[in-house]
């Protein structure tokens, strides 16, 4: 196979930045306050939003007024509210292009009082935003006081009605039951869970809630069973890399599928050409991933002296990201390993 066709998007998230006020242990995109202060460029964003509006046309009911995690278009990061004026501007652009189910995802760090929250959400709604996704989990409350999350949910419902998603409900209800005020370490959360609702731990920390990719294997891997690399050798990532139902475009315009942080299929401003086909001979890491994890491992051992982790891996994505990080430390010649900074902020 010489060429690989990037999937046509059905829905997507636009990163305003990778910079975040938090450094959550489970972050798939390794966001943190340490990232460069880089923001998506408005002209480029206008271009990708225009492309998305063309590609999504006809795929949604007209005047669709519902939002969903993998539905429509959302603004994300990193933390979009770190640059509220940019978020507002992009919302106006997306609304003028009639992009469906437009919402923003936030960690609520900015929800310091009712007035600020109501004012910002109303301004966004007037600009065309249809809803909000509020993150709630034990990794985030290590950084953001829980009452800010509760405030955002309360006022969000006032402004957006039913178009408020709390992600994820199970964690939110646990943190409420705990009566949490302020922040809490993940270790304290685990202690609470062990005492009060031990039975919920397997579900709460299952790979349905915590995707074992990005930063999670490094920061939470100790909680999970590990396997030798060869257990994952026969798996391929074709399904994830060709998944059209939800893509991301970051602030460097990397076209990212499968929630696979640090893997770029190319420049989203040139989506037509990506969908026509990407030359795989120029992207050996991507080529290997489409074949099998075993091919990637072999390539990394032979070309870059990769050594298997003696403690093993929690998932195929753990093996994948560890190999990619090893390669990215040695060379910047692979365009598919972007953005480069992702590999610096995993731990
Ligand atoms: S999971 Fe969200 S809030 Fe946490 S570091 Fe990543 S982008 Fe920031
Ligand atoms: S193994 Fe790598 S390419 Fe495959 S789904 Fe996981 S992160 Fe993506």
């Amino acid at each position: 196979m010489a060429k690989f066709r990037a999937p046509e998007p059905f829905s997507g998230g636009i990163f305003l930045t990778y910079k975040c006020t938090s450094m959550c242990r489970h972050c798939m995109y390794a966001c943190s306050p340490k990232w460069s202060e880089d923001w998506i460029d408005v002209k480029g964003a206008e271009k990708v939003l225009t492309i998305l509006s063309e590609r999504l046309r006809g795929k949604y009911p007209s005047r669709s007024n519902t939002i969903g995690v993998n539905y429509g278009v959302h603004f994300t990061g990193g933390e979009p509210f770190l640059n509220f004026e940019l978020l507002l501007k992009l919302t106006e652009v997306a609304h003028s292009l009639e992009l469906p189910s437009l919402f923003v995802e936030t960690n609520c760090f900015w929800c310091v009082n009712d007035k600020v929250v109501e004012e910002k959400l109303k301004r966004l709604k007037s600009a065309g935003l249809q809803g909000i996704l509020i993150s709630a989990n034990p990794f985030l409350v290590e950084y953001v006081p829980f009452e800010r999350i509760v405030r955002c949910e309360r006022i969000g419902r006032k402004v957006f009605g039913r178009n408020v998603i709390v992600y994820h409900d199970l964690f939110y209800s646990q943190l409420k039951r705990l009566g949490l005020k302020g922040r809490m370490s993940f270790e304290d959360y685990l202690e609470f869970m062990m005492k009060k609702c031990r039975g919920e731990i397997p579900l709460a920390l299952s790979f349905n809630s915590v995707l074992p990719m990005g930063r999670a294997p490094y920061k939470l891997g100790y909680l999970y069973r590990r396997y030798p690399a060869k257990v994952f050798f026969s798996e391929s990532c074709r399904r994830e890399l060709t998944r059209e139902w939800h893509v991301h475009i970051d602030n460097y315009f990397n076209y990212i599928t499968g929630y696979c942080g640090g893997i770029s299929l190319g420049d989203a401003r040139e989506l037509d050409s990506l969908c026509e086909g990407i030359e795989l001979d120029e992207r050996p890491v991507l080529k290997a991933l489409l074949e099998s994890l075993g091919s990637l491992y072999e390539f990394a051992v032979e070309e870059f002296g990769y050594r298997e982790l003696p403690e093993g891996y929690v998932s195929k994505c753990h093996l994948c990201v560890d190999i990619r990080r090893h390669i990215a430390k040695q060379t910047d010649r692979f365009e598919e390993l972007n953005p480069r900074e992702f590999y610096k902020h995993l731990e």
Side-chain angles (χ1 to χ4, degrees), residues 124-251:
L124 286 166
K125 190 178 180 189
S126 301
L129 201 76
Q130 288 171 282
I132 189 163
L133 185 147
I134 296 166
S135 300
N137 58 66
F139 316 110
L140 180 58
V141 294
E142 293 199 278
Y143 298 93
V144 175
F146 186 54
E147 51 272 28
R148 296 190 191 181
I149 295 169
V150 174
R151 178 178 292 123
C152 193
E153 194 235 355
R154 175 170 50 81
I155 300 173
R157 292 203 187 281
K158 190 170 154 191
V159 175
F160 292 112
R162 66 193 168 98
N163 279 352
V164 174
I165 299 171
V166 177
Y167 196 81
H168 159 323
D169 270 337
L170 175 61
F171 286 134
Y172 192 48
S173 71
Q174 286 170 348
L175 297 169
K176 276 190 152 175
R177 257 182 280 154
L178 173 63
L180 179 60
K181 296 268 182 286
R183 300 182 182 87
M184 181 175 64
S185 72
F186 180 65
E187 288 70 26
D188 285 349
Y189 163 81
L190 274 185
E191 201 184 316
F192 161 78
M193 292 289 288
M194 291 298 282
K195 281 187 195 147
K196 302 280 181 194
C197 30
R198 198 184 183 119
E200 282 179 23
I201 295 180
L203 178 61
L205 298 179
S206 73
F207 288 163
N208 288 327
S209 315
V210 179
L211 297 184
M213 60 203 312
R215 187 180 286 136
Y218 296 103
K219 292 295 192 183
L220 297 167
Y222 67 96
L223 295 168
Y224 302 94
R225 186 168 167 201
R226 291 168 182 263
Y227 303 88
K230 66 178 182 203
V231 166
F232 305 106
F233 282 177
S234 62
E235 296 192 40
S236 131
C237 293
R238 177 171 301 277
R239 195 165 49 89
E240 291 88 342
L241 293 168
T242 56
R243 203 169 69 191
E244 80 297 354
W245 49 257
H246 198 65
V247 304
H248 285 94
I249 295 165
D250 73 12
N251 49 301

Side-chain angles (χ1 to χ4, degrees), residues 213 237 240-241 258 260-261 263 289 293 316-317 320-321 324:
M213 60 203 312
C237 293
E240 291 88 342
L241 293 168
C260 304
I263 301 182
L289 281 167
L293 267 289
K316 72 169 180 177
C317 301
C320 171
V321 75
R324 287 187 278 124

Side-chain angles (χ1 to χ4, degrees), residues 18-32 76-79 105-107 135 137 139-140 143 215:
Y18 280 87
K19 204 168 180 67
C20 190
T21 52
S22 309
M23 191 175 162
C24 300
R25 301 187 201 206
H26 72 317
C27 188
M28 295 182 289
Y29 297 104
C31 299
S32 91
T76 185
E79 176 47 49
E105 180 173 352
T106 184
N107 72 17
S135 300
N137 58 66
F139 316 110
L140 180 58
Y143 298 93
R215 187 180 286 136

